[in-house]
Amino acid sequence: MEMLNVALPKGRLGNKVYSMFASAGFECPEIEENNRKLIFENREKGVRYFWVKPSDVAIYVERGAADIGACGKDILLEYEPDVYELLDLGVGKCRIAVAAKKDFSYDPQRTLRVATKFVSVAKSYFASKGRDIDIIHLNGSIELAPILSLSDVIVDIVETGATLRENDLEVKEEIVPISARLIANKSSFRFKNEAIERVVDSLSRLTSIT
Amino acid sequence: MDKTAIEQSIFREDERAIFALRSLYRRYGYTRYALGKFEEYELYVRNKNFLVSDSVITFTDADGKLMALKPDVTLSIIKNTDVTEGVKKLYYNETVYRPSKSSGMYREIMQTGLECMGEIDSYLIYEVILLAAKSLESISEKFSLVISHLGIVSAIMEEAGAVGDVSSELLRCIGEKNAHEIEEICKREGLDGNKLKRLASLYGSPDKVEREVRELSRGGRAEDYAETLISVVRAVEDAGYKGKIQIDFSVTGDTRYYNAFVLKGYIDKIPSAVLSGGQYDPLMRKMKKNGSAIGFAVYLDLLEELERTSSSHDCSESIILYDGESDFDVLRKAAKECREKEPARVVKCHDAKVCRPDGGKYRRVIRVVGREVIKDDGNA
């Protein structure tokens, strides 16, 4: 049987997604063992899993190293990989939002300084609003930028808003709600169609129940 | 050594494909169209949405005119071909210059393809799609030609009430097989998204999807298009390609340029489409040319992936190791005998008895130690 290669994002979201795959009948017991393996497979079920950095899932899938994968919508919006987006898995729900210090007010006469790791999303959002912005590309600790006056606002993922509140920041505008999506390589979709459709059908039954 | 063996060992996948495709297109009456490397930049400015990327390498010519290294071939062929009457059948084999999507750096890409322009009819459309299937077959037996009809997609979007930006958004979702987002957009815009969701998810052989295609197209402008799509796809299947042709409406294109058949070709183990094309009547009108046109391009640079996954290519060569003590005549004879069977690389090392061949995989390792010839199995 030809194996279906599945890229899962490391971390909490990946664990949730793997649980969904397992509940849908694509379990892989060795993934739950505490070991240092990088690739886990269940030959009987025809699946091979590997954990990758969440932002790399789309690259693995687009380039065919993985046939399918689970990836946040934020990554898909930012990098626009040439993949199929087959299912909203309904987990990892949060939103990309514009946040700033509570007392911040937008001055249309000044260029808005925006700190973010989602450069493309931020650019197209502010362009659609006709606002002139200066993008500051950061890779982490985005919330620090307005506190230290590096930026006026940030564009970042907001889940509960607790980190923002603790740092005297708040959501000013919501850009887009996001959640984990099941993506597929366009070529694998042709040559491993039956296996991919089986996964999609099983997972969609699961997502429609929850 | 027979001719096939020479081909296998010397040519790269893309080089083999060039010869095979050239011969195929000539057999169907296509004539070679040779182009220069440069084109006026203005052509691409006017049609930038037709291009895979809008980044173009430009330079100022001696007469001050802004020129570009060709990022595309079809636009130049349309511009330079007289299609006032009859049909023009042309094929090309050209280098184009485009930025890589991942690195953004420009790459030189070898592309081959064909264009059929003028008074084209169902037969000529069938012939072009058949040639697309044959092109893929000449590269690998494990291929899939995926066909869609933009007329059907546009008609169903129109029927749902989608216009302007919303229809572009929906077209993108259909291209991503993103049924959940189609539902969200239709809910937001108050449209009936049921047919569009089914259209995005539909995929399979004509046997599998014909009924649903007819059902989705019933009663509207799409009905005639569905008839044409099914009859052409069936005809290509009947030409010996059953199981190789799929109908899939996620194969889309910019509706400002493409209007009817659109196609993508995939080869197993290559992660993206190696063949892409379609019917581009609106582009012909935009460039003030008569008639219709259909064509496709084969991206030969992607065939490198096949070489990476093929193990046979790695072990076609042997290596002959010798050192300062090896006998000249014995070495000469060993090299001659070996080359009668397979390509061989003769390499001097410090000790032919123990040296390991560095880099590459070899069918056999032959060691000339003094007057003795020692043959190993190789490392492939």
Side-chain angles (χ1 to χ4, degrees), chain B residues 194-217:
Chain B
N194 184 37
K195 275 191 175 181
L196 290 168
K197 274 165 56 189
R198 284 169 60 197
L199 199 70
S201 305
L202 188 142
Y203 171 77
S205 64
D207 282 347
K208 188 180 160 197
V209 302
E210 180 176 341
R211 223 175 88 189
E212 195 169 0
V213 173
R214 286 188 192 283
E215 211 180 291
L216 285 169
S217 314

Side-chain angles (χ1 to χ4, degrees), chain A residues 62-63 80 84-85 187 190, chain B residues 102 176 203 248 250 270:
Chain A
E62 185 180 30
R63 296 206 164 222
E80 298 182 345
Y84 285 136
E85 188 182 320
S187 183
R190 319 286 162 207
Chain B
S102 51
E176 293 170 356
Y203 171 77
D248 183 343
S250 76
I270 299 182

Side-chain angles (χ1 to χ4, degrees), chain A residues 15-25 89-91 203 206-207 210:
Chain A
N15 292 336
K16 274 188 198 169
V17 173
Y18 169 71
S19 300
M20 292 178 75
F21 272 82
S23 307
L89 294 167
V91 291
L203 288 174
L206 213 65
T207 52
T210 50

Side-chain angles (χ1 to χ4, degrees), chain B residues 39-92:
Chain B
E39 183 64 79
E40 284 181 35
Y41 178 60
E42 201 199 338
L43 177 67
Y44 306 117
V45 175
R46 277 188 272 121
N47 300 288
K48 68 176 183 162
N49 291 310
F50 183 74
L51 303 174
V52 175
S53 159
D54 54 9
S55 294
V56 179
I57 303 175
T58 57
F59 64 95
T60 309
D61 212 343
D63 61 359
K65 205 174 270 176
L66 191 57
M67 303 296 284
L69 277 172
K70 283 197 177 82
D72 167 85
V73 179
T74 305
L75 288 172
S76 301
I77 292 184
I78 301 172
K79 181 188 148 201
N80 299 318
T81 307
D82 176 15
V83 277
T84 42
E85 56 179 337
V87 174
K88 291 283 184 309
K89 289 178 165 190
L90 306 163
Y91 80 89
Y92 59 85

Side-chain angles (χ1 to χ4, degrees), chain B residues 177-291:
Chain B
K177 291 196 167 287
N178 191 342
H180 47 274
E181 205 170 321
I182 292 175
E183 189 173 333
E184 278 168 27
I185 295 169
C186 290
K187 211 165 159 184
R188 187 189 75 205
E189 301 293 329
L191 309 175
D192 179 5
N194 184 37
K195 275 191 175 181
L196 290 168
K197 274 165 56 189
R198 284 169 60 197
L199 199 70
S201 305
L202 188 142
Y203 171 77
S205 64
D207 282 347
K208 188 180 160 197
V209 302
E210 180 176 341
R211 223 175 88 189
E212 195 169 0
V213 173
R214 286 188 192 283
E215 211 180 291
L216 285 169
S217 314
R218 191 168 300 141
R221 196 161 51 88
E223 207 165 326
D224 288 345
Y225 297 138
E227 202 55 54
T228 316
L229 172 70
I230 289 161
S231 64
V232 169
V233 171
R234 286 271 188 215
V236 178
E237 258 200 347
D238 289 348
Y241 295 103
K242 199 151 179 83
K244 299 289 188 189
I245 317 291
Q246 313 288 337
I247 292 175
D248 183 343
F249 293 101
S250 76
V251 176
T252 59
D254 191 322
T255 47
R256 283 170 294 186
Y257 300 100
Y258 294 102
N259 61 323
F261 282 91
V262 270
L263 34 145
K264 293 258 186 221
Y266 293 87
I267 301 274
D268 192 20
K269 311 290 179 217
I270 299 182
S272 52
V274 297
L275 180 148
S276 180
Q279 203 174 330
Y280 49 86
D281 305 347
L283 177 61
M284 292 286 279
R285 284 196 291 276
K286 193 165 181 278
M287 293 182 72
K288 298 186 173 39
K289 298 284 177 174
N290 291 331

Side-chain angles (χ1 to χ4, degrees), chain A residues 2 61-65 73 76-77 79-89 177 180-182 185-193 197, chain B residues 100-103 142-144 146 172 174-181 184 201 203 208 246 248 250-251 266-273 305:
Chain A
E2 201 172 6
V61 174
E62 185 180 30
R63 296 206 164 222
K73 180 69 180 176
L76 300 177
L77 289 169
Y79 300 106
E80 298 182 345
D82 188 19
V83 294
Y84 285 136
E85 188 182 320
L86 299 176
L87 204 59
D88 182 348
L89 294 167
R181 310 294 161 99
L182 181 75
N185 173 270
K186 289 191 169 179
S187 183
S188 301
F189 188 82
R190 319 286 162 207
F191 300 102
K192 295 186 179 177
N193 186 259
E197 295 281 17
Chain B
S100 144
K101 197 190 161 207
S102 51
S103 68
K142 286 182 115 180
F143 75 90
S144 178
V146 191
R172 173 186 55 79
I174 292 169
E176 293 170 356
K177 291 196 167 287
N178 191 342
H180 47 274
E181 205 170 321
E184 278 168 27
S201 305
Y203 171 77
K208 188 180 160 197
Q246 313 288 337
D248 183 343
S250 76
V251 176
Y266 293 87
I267 301 274
D268 192 20
K269 311 290 179 217
I270 299 182
S272 52
E305 292 289 332

Side-chain angles (χ1 to χ4, degrees), chain B residues 314 317-322 344-368 374-380:
Chain B
D314 290 332
E317 194 178 62
S318 285
I319 188 165
I320 301 169
L321 297 170
Y322 73 100
R345 176 188 297 201
V346 179
V347 175
K348 187 173 183 181
C349 60
H350 68 274
D351 186 348
K353 197 169 183 180
V354 293
C355 259
R356 294 160 69 111
D358 53 343
K361 288 181 177 174
Y362 300 100
R363 178 178 286 179
R364 288 190 298 159
V365 179
I366 297 164
R367 301 173 186 278
V368 179
I374 305 164
K375 292 176 183 170
D376 294 346
D377 275 347
N379 59 358

Side-chain angles (χ1 to χ4, degrees), chain B residues 143-159:
Chain B
F143 75 90
S144 178
L145 179 63
V146 191
I147 303 175
S148 167
H149 196 294
L150 276 181
I152 298 175
V153 180
S154 303
I156 292 177
M157 283 212 290
E158 214 174 276
E159 198 185 306

